[in-house]
Amino acid sequence: MNMQQLALEEAALKTLADTVMDRLKAVKAEMQEALTTGGVGKVDATLPDGTKVAVISRTDSKPAAVVTDPEAFLAWVRTAAPSEVTTRLVTEVRPAYTTALLAEMTAAGVAEVSDRETGVVDTVPGVEIRATRSTTHSVRPTKDGRDLIAEAWRTGALGHLNLPQLTAAPQEA
């Protein structure tokens, strides 16, 4: 292939990819809304003949402990576990200790920790249990789903879908 052909092919593929990505974003948002409002956890994607080609599964957000007020958290750790605080030009809680505490609180589902020796339960200031990722969904094609979808595309069996079409830009008079 010569450079002119490569340039045209790349430009064409970029245009196609951008057009498909714009439509994919819109469809993903619609699917997420349908899964969420419909209370559905998963749905099969099937071709017009009923052949299953993929499974769409909702992924719910999961709550986790996050430091929301670093200063309050630092003040608490200074009192509760002073050996876990390091002082340099800035004073901060050691990252490994923060990770361990947040994991413990995430597992418990509350922003509290208990002293292993005394059993005293402390509420940890500056930490909240929050959803750390948005509810989303995944698309998992079946073993031969990609090939079946490609064949359905080639044969026109997906013509009933609102798939993007490239149209020429309006010509100026």
Side-chain angles (χ1 to χ4, degrees):
M1 241 186 226
N2 68 35
M3 193 175 304
Q4 289 298 317
Q5 266 188 295
L6 284 172
L8 177 57
E9 186 172 349
E10 182 173 352
L13 290 171
K14 172 82 169 102
T15 300
L16 287 167
D18 290 348
T19 302
V20 169
M21 285 307 296
D22 289 345
R23 181 66 185 139
L24 177 59
K25 287 176 187 173
V27 170
K28 280 185 81 160
E30 289 176 41
M31 175 57 79
Q32 188 60 50
E33 179 68 20
L35 288 169
T36 301
T37 59
V40 175
K42 70 179 181 176
V43 62
D44 291 340
T46 57
L47 294 175
D49 68 3
T51 304
K52 180 177 166 179
V53 293
V55 176
I56 312 295
S57 301
R58 187 179 72 209
T59 305
D60 293 323
S61 62
K62 295 190 173 157
V66 293
V67 174
T68 57
D69 184 343
E71 290 177 18
F73 179 66
L74 173 61
W76 178 83
V77 174
R78 275 188 167 150
T79 302
S83 64
E84 298 300 329
V85 175
T86 57
T87 303
R88 294 181 226 137
L89 294 177
V90 293
T91 303
E92 64 184 9
V93 178
R94 290 186 359 193
Y97 185 69
T98 299
T99 300
L101 272 181
L102 292 177
E104 183 179 333
M105 290 183 274
T106 296
V110 292
E112 298 176 345
V113 294
S114 61
D115 185 299
R116 296 188 200 304
E117 294 175 17
T118 66
V120 173
V121 176
D122 278 330
T123 298
V124 181
V127 176
E128 294 178 12
I129 304 296
R130 290 187 174 171
T132 57
R133 67 173 188 215
S134 301
T135 299
T136 185
H137 64 274
S138 64
V139 178
R140 290 183 316 280
T142 60
K143 180 181 172 191
D144 54 352
R146 290 178 191 270
D147 292 337
L148 292 168
I149 290 170
E151 181 62 22
W153 177 280
R154 280 191 292 278
T155 63
L158 303 179
H160 64 291
L161 300 177
N162 183 17
L163 298 176
Q165 300 295 317
L166 291 180
T167 56
Q171 299 296 316
E172 293 183 29

